Amino acid sequence: MCRSTVIGLLTKTTIVAEDVTYNVFLPMVVAHSLSENPVLMSAAEQIFSAGGKRMRPALVFLVSRATAELAGLKELTKEHRRLAEIIEMIHTASLIHDDVLDESDIRRGKETVHQLYGTRVAVLAGDFMFAQSSWYLANLENLEVIKLISQVIKDFASGEIKQASSFFDCDVELDEYLIKSYYKTASLIAASTKGASIFSGVDSSVSEQMYQFGKNLGLSFQVVDDILDFTQSAEQLGKPAGSDLAKGNLTAPVIFALQKEPKLRELIESEFCETSSLDEAIQLVKRRGGIESARNLAKERADQAIQNLQCLPQSAIRRALEGMVKYNLERID
């Protein structure tokens, strides 16, 4: 799902036209929060210049509108908009830190922050964004949302630890992969959709469905991303194809293929010591049904996300939310 697709879904929902504008300029808002330090601000602008889908703040706006309508609110509150800023800030901080941990030199075809400015600046920029988002979060003065979003930052660390402890581990189970994917991706999306509904003042049952919607969409999104790591070119990905597998990070397509192909285990456990072994492993993942099984998993989670939206009344906004789920799957069609 490209950024223009997300904006297109918002634009079709005419009553959130102002949200489209806000979503487009959101990176400037986030970067401005670092204005007291020009180096950190430049680092933030670097990652924003690489583009991005801005899916998370878009989801905040759409769920905010849908649940506000359900609660009888005519306009979004300042808390809804601040939540979008916080979510984008946390997401950006996590990307900067991810690139440091993964030693990635390229993101979306552009040099990463640590590649340009060094590891020290990258870590500090990410730390500052996490701290700034925590300050904004505290000022929302809603304990439930504070607990919800604070858990996300803890989940990021848990996900990284879980991932690092299972590199090249061919015995990793699908459930473990899904837990890690929840920590690293779905937790933030689930918290953003639930947080938006809390600020609308809807019943806890609706908020829980919005949480499950975000969780299922987030898991589907991560599985799709992991499929694309095998099916797209380096130019399309903005990074080397098969990079997760090369580092020993075994994702859904690999886990499924391992169930059918003993040779794949041998290649992974050798940590691709032979020149052509990584390419051979990638081909085995494709030939032994890893991609197709992962595609089914992504669709299963997407279907659950659509089901979670049944608590919302039929409207252009609900259709836009359903559209985001469908467009995610279309990335692998």
Side-chain angles (χ1 to χ4, degrees), residues 42-273:
S42 296
E45 288 173 343
Q46 169 63 18
I47 196 165
F48 286 131
S49 71
K53 295 171 279 293
R54 305 232 232 293
M55 179 185 76
R56 291 156 188 82
L59 282 169
V60 171
F61 292 133
L62 288 171
V63 172
S64 295
R65 292 284 179 183
T67 53
E69 183 180 288
L70 196 61
L73 295 178
K74 293 184 178 179
E75 296 293 337
L76 298 191
T77 65
K78 65 181 185 300
E79 287 81 9
H80 284 121
R81 299 195 184 284
R82 180 61 91 184
L83 179 63
E85 294 171 18
I86 290 168
I87 295 301
E88 186 68 2
M89 202 173 288
I90 291 173
H91 176 56
T92 304
S94 73
L95 294 182
I96 294 173
H97 281 182
D98 274 356
D99 288 338
V100 172
L101 290 169
D102 296 342
E103 299 180 345
S104 300
D105 297 334
I106 300 292
R107 175 173 288 279
R108 301 179 190 130
K110 289 194 174 256
E111 288 183 292
T112 53
V113 171
H114 76 89
Q115 178 71 8
L116 274 180
Y117 300 97
T119 299
R120 182 183 178 85
V121 169
V123 170
L124 288 172
D127 287 349
F128 189 91
M129 283 193 186
F130 278 131
Q132 188 74 28
S133 66
S134 297
W135 170 252
Y136 286 161
L137 184 60
N139 280 282
L140 290 177
E141 298 184 345
N142 184 302
L143 187 57
E144 187 177 4
V145 175
I146 290 171
K147 288 180 177 180
L148 186 66
I149 306 298
S150 297
Q151 181 64 43
V152 170
I153 299 175
K154 178 185 173 185
D155 287 345
F156 282 150
S158 297
E160 288 296 344
I161 292 167
K162 199 165 188 64
Q163 179 170 291
S165 65
S166 60
F167 283 148
F168 297 104
D169 180 4
C170 292
D171 293 318
V172 66
E173 300 282 345
L174 184 64
D175 284 348
E176 294 175 78
Y177 161 80
L178 288 173
I179 291 169
K180 180 203 71 177
S181 297
Y182 169 76
Y183 284 153
K184 286 176 62 67
T185 302
S187 175
L188 179 60
I189 297 175
S192 67
T193 50
K194 182 175 182 178
S197 68
I198 289 170
F199 284 129
S200 294
V202 293
D203 291 342
S204 59
S205 60
V206 176
S207 288
E208 179 57 28
Q209 285 301 308
M210 292 303 95
Y211 180 85
Q212 293 300 325
F213 165 73
K215 177 181 177 180
N216 286 315
L217 174 57
L219 289 173
S220 178
F221 184 86
Q222 184 59 57
V223 175
V224 168
D225 262 6
D226 292 337
I227 291 170
L228 294 177
D229 196 45
F230 289 93
T231 60
Q232 288 193 330
S233 66
E235 290 74 23
Q236 290 172 309
L237 290 167
K239 62 178 182 178
S243 58
D244 279 332
L245 180 57
K247 295 169 186 172
N249 179 23
L250 309 189
T251 57
V254 181
I255 293 169
F256 283 120
L258 276 167
Q259 296 170 2
K260 299 179 181 178
E261 183 53 70
K263 175 65 174 175
L264 182 58
R265 174 183 283 267
E266 293 177 25
L267 293 170
I268 293 170
E269 290 182 342
S270 75
E271 299 190 12
F272 310 115
C273 57

Side-chain angles (χ1 to χ4, degrees), residues 3-27 53-54 57-58 61-62 65 76 81:
R3 176 185 160 198
S4 60
T5 298
V6 172
I7 292 174
L9 285 167
L10 283 171
T11 304
K12 288 177 185 177
T13 315
T14 55
I15 64 169
V16 292
E18 62 188 282
D19 299 340
V20 177
T21 303
Y22 195 81
N23 199 37
V24 169
F25 288 100
L26 194 56
K53 295 171 279 293
R54 305 232 232 293
F61 292 133
L62 288 171
R65 292 284 179 183
L76 298 191
R81 299 195 184 284

